[in-house]
Amino acid sequence: MRRLPLRFSVPALGAFAAVGLVAALVTGLAPAAHTKSAAVKAAKTTVITVTAGKPSELAFKLSKTSMVAAGTITFNVTNMGVAFHNFRVCTKPVASADAATNACSGKTTKILKHGDKTTLTVTISKSGKYEFLCTVSGHAQAGMKGLIGIGVAVAASEQKTAATAGAPSASNGGSSSGGGTTTPATTTKSSSGGTSGIDPSGCPPGVTIKSSGAADADGDELGTEPDDNDGCV
């Protein structure tokens, strides 16, 4: 039997080649597109370490407070103080550092005892300066608050202003480059029994000392230095 040769038209061969080329391109691009999407998603999550109760009882130390990328932020919070503390990030940005308040609506951790740890995840899409604070009575007023800049810079002077905004007396505070520290408002006892200036105890009016003593891990508990009465609650 005579075999007829297979015949393919040029247009048909061209069509097969085009289909194969498109399939190859799709296969090659799919992994790259997936990788790029995953990278973009990961880049939107920022992790910030928060220490409450250090460097002083009524203070926070954050690993980053300036130029934080908008998106999802996870705060890893640890209470290294003696008193109970928590950590709240306010919902709305403030117009300026001196507009920081001692209370706000926002997302908050549970109350933490000494050594307790927890995480707080928030999503902030709008650039601005957002306040963070401890909601335990009297703590924010005493200076346990500050600012985190989403897409904007927050200077050390602004952290100082925010920490003292609404405080009953003068205070000191500051921020290190790339991070932030808030410190409590303080008063000074005069020889007449009144108060003015800076008090080594670090406790503002109306904030009391634990009846068990100022167990804040300073040298006064070890007997190596005088009692500084700085276990404010």
Side-chain angles (χ1 to χ4, degrees), residues 26-107:
V26 170
T27 302
L29 290 175
H34 176 75
T35 302
K36 182 178 180 181
S37 176
V40 169
K41 183 177 181 180
K44 291 182 179 180
T45 301
T46 301
V47 177
I48 296 177
T49 299
V50 180
T51 304
K54 291 294 178 181
S56 60
E57 185 64 41
L58 297 179
F60 282 117
K61 175 66 178 180
L62 276 66
S63 60
K64 187 176 179 65
T65 58
S66 187
M67 297 300 296
V68 177
T72 301
I73 308 169
T74 296
F75 296 93
N76 292 329
V77 186
T78 303
N79 181 13
M80 295 304 295
V82 176
F84 294 173
H85 297 299
N86 64 4
F87 180 76
R88 171 176 292 181
V89 178
C90 301
T91 303
K92 297 181 179 179
V94 295
S96 60
D98 57 7
T101 62
N102 297 319
C104 70
S105 297
K107 197 167 183 179

Side-chain angles (χ1 to χ4, degrees), residues 98-123:
D98 57 7
T101 62
N102 297 319
C104 70
S105 297
K107 197 167 183 179
T108 315
T109 67
K110 63 182 181 180
I111 292 292
L112 303 175
K113 299 178 182 179
H114 173 75
D116 284 352
K117 299 180 179 181
T118 191
T119 61
L120 178 70
T121 299
V122 300
T123 299

